[in-house]
Amino acid sequence: MRFCAPCLFGIEGVLADELKRLGADNVEAQNGRVLFSGDAAMLARANIQSRFAERIQILVGSFSARSFEELYQGVRALPWADYVGKLDRFPVKGWSLNSALHSIPDCQSIVKKAVVDKLNQTYHQARFAETGALYQIQFTILKDEVSLLLDTSGAGLHKRGYREISGAAPLKETLAAAIADLARARKADRIIDPCCGSGTLLIEAALQAAKIAPGKSRRFAAEEWALVPAAAWQEERERAISFEQPDRLPALLGSDVDKEVLALCRDNAEKAGVAKNLETAVRDLRRFEPVGDSGTVLCNPPYGERLLDVRTAQDLIRAMGKVFVEKPGWNYAIISPDEDFETLFGRPAKKRRKLYNGMLKCTLYMYF
């Protein structure tokens, strides 16, 4: 099967490398998504183990369409009965960008009609009760190129299960995991977040270091599908667990000015199974000190578009430049949308990476 893993802009390469490590074939990074090939076991494996994908979809087919007739015929030509049973649910949603077909409701209706007509050829029924397993159909139309996909994940893969409640303006788990990966936090003995909020950066870094699969404890839409044997899910969960190295959990140090959000951080770490090495403290970022021989600091400070006014956010960057001092064994990774970050911080980063926090263009500034 051909799969599609949509992801946040900026982490396509990180996701592509991960999928190759998981054993995927024909991995191809594109803007905002990575295509790859594999069998039913790979479908389960990618859902359970991917830290960076937003979801895993089956790419049913692609074609060009500039008219509703071309859209209908293209969808109708695809092998829908290979996936969808006669009792299954198959709602349609999608988007269109820079294409002749720009009416989403009309495209939804046409895709639905084409799928029904194709299934009718196999099941010989013009109406479908849709009471069975959920096969969410997704269409994307970009510059008149249409892709038809089936979502295998259900809830987005960023929903690991440990963060039911979060603090103000939290990082998405997939973005936090990418920051930890790019900062090489998995090699650190101590990971510090001096404005940790609900703990997402610390938790995702710890899960990576201990090789704990982010999706091992949650369920996925395709677990209800006949396409993927139940044994495949069980085997892939057991396989993921066999890789765990709990003795490699680093020391986790989280601080914040809000003691209530620190309680949330500890609760989330407990749910994620990484709380045994976590220490928290009520402390202002401006009072940070790099104590000890080594440490990796991951930081998502409040900034003007999220929590502070721009001037206060820039003052905070200046303060970080003073307390995040250059010291052997210490590394810092800070995500910020401020284009003057390095000037405010007081020194240029050793490495930079463009990332998107939601729709907000940011840069990850790394000091090694």
Side-chain angles (χ1 to χ4, degrees):
M1 289 178 283
R2 192 68 170 155
F3 298 109
C4 174
C7 63
L8 298 172
F9 286 105
I11 67 171
E12 296 91 345
V14 174
L15 173 56
D17 289 342
E18 175 188 58
L19 289 167
K20 290 174 184 176
R21 291 195 300 270
L22 291 177
D25 297 322
N26 305 315
V27 178
E28 178 187 351
Q30 300 181 347
N31 285 335
R33 69 181 193 174
V34 177
L35 303 181
F36 64 103
S37 300
D39 57 10
M42 176 53 62
L43 183 159
R45 185 180 308 164
N47 271 298
I48 292 167
Q49 294 200 45
S50 179
R51 302 183 190 281
F52 314 118
E54 293 302 307
R55 56 185 62 251
I56 304 299
Q57 302 165 318
I58 295 173
L59 181 59
V60 182
S62 299
F63 54 88
S64 299
R66 291 186 53 82
S67 69
F68 290 135
E69 179 62 22
E70 289 176 339
L71 177 63
Y72 173 83
Q73 294 297 341
V75 174
R76 194 172 185 273
L78 298 176
W80 293 105
D82 289 354
Y83 306 99
V84 182
K86 62 182 179 180
L87 296 177
D88 294 330
R89 293 173 285 157
F90 50 100
V92 176
K93 64 181 180 180
W95 54 263
S96 176
L97 185 65
N98 299 329
S99 300
L101 301 176
H102 53 79
S103 171
I104 302 305
D106 287 339
C107 290
Q108 283 178 294
S109 297
I110 289 165
V111 170
K112 184 74 172 186
K113 176 174 172 49
V115 175
V116 167
D117 289 351
K118 184 57 179 280
L119 291 176
N120 185 27
Q121 287 184 330
T122 300
Y123 301 123
H124 308 294
Q125 56 187 57
R127 302 179 69 87
F128 292 83
E130 297 196 49
T131 56
L134 175 62
Y135 289 75
Q136 177 66 63
I137 296 173
Q138 168 92 46
F139 67 84
T140 68
I141 310 176
L142 177 63
K143 297 180 180 178
D144 301 322
E145 290 299 313
V146 183
S147 293
L148 270 297
L149 307 122
L150 285 172
D151 173 42
T152 74
S153 301
L157 294 183
H158 69 281
K159 295 186 177 181
R160 321 293 207 201
Y162 65 77
R163 196 177 76 175
E164 295 177 11
I165 305 173
S166 59
L171 278 182
K172 208 170 189 180
E173 292 88 336
T174 43
L175 178 57
I179 290 171
D181 184 81
L182 291 166
R184 294 176 278 182
R186 62 190 174 278
K187 299 180 179 180
D189 294 326
R190 300 168 71 221
I191 300 172
I192 303 100
D193 186 347
C195 45
C196 66
S198 56
T200 310
L201 274 169
L202 290 172
I203 293 168
E204 290 297 327
L207 292 174
Q208 280 187 43
K211 298 187 177 181
I212 298 173
K216 70 172 186 177
S217 299
R218 55 158 285 179
R219 291 189 62 80
F220 306 94
E223 291 192 63
E224 306 300 322
W225 297 7
L227 179 70
V228 188
W233 294 101
Q234 180 65 24
E235 289 169 6
E236 288 302 326
R237 284 190 171 93
E238 291 174 357
R239 183 177 188 273
I241 292 170
S242 73
F243 293 138
E244 291 182 2
Q245 298 180 0
D247 58 320
R248 289 186 57 182
L249 269 178
L252 305 173
L253 307 176
S255 57
D256 203 283
V257 294
D258 185 343
K259 65 179 181 181
E260 292 184 3
V261 84
L262 287 175
L264 191 57
C265 173
R266 289 190 293 270
D267 186 56
N268 289 341
E270 286 281 358
K271 291 175 181 174
V274 299
K276 68 175 185 178
N277 288 11
L278 173 67
E279 293 182 18
T280 59
V282 178
R283 185 182 298 118
D284 192 291
L285 173 62
R286 298 170 182 85
R287 292 175 50 215
F288 172 83
E289 292 182 55
V291 178
D293 294 333
S294 65
T296 292
V297 175
L298 307 177
C299 193
N300 175 37
Y303 33 84
E305 290 84 348
R306 294 167 64 248
L307 296 175
L308 302 179
D309 64 85
V310 174
R311 179 174 295 180
T312 304
Q314 291 184 337
D315 287 343
L316 190 59
I317 296 172
R318 293 187 184 95
M320 281 191 289
K322 294 176 181 178
V323 298
F324 290 179
V325 297
E326 291 184 277
K327 186 177 178 180
W330 282 80
N331 306 314
Y332 306 92
I334 309 113
I335 185 171
S336 173
D338 198 314
E339 295 182 356
D340 295 323
F341 178 91
E342 288 167 295
T343 300
L344 296 164
F345 192 78
R347 61 186 188 271
K350 297 292 177 64
K351 292 182 71 174
R352 303 166 198 82
R353 185 67 170 256
K354 294 293 183 186
L355 298 173
Y356 276 79
N357 186 1
M359 298 302 294
L360 184 62
K361 185 179 180 181
C362 296
T363 299
L364 180 66
Y365 298 95
M366 290 170 277
Y367 298 83
F368 298 118

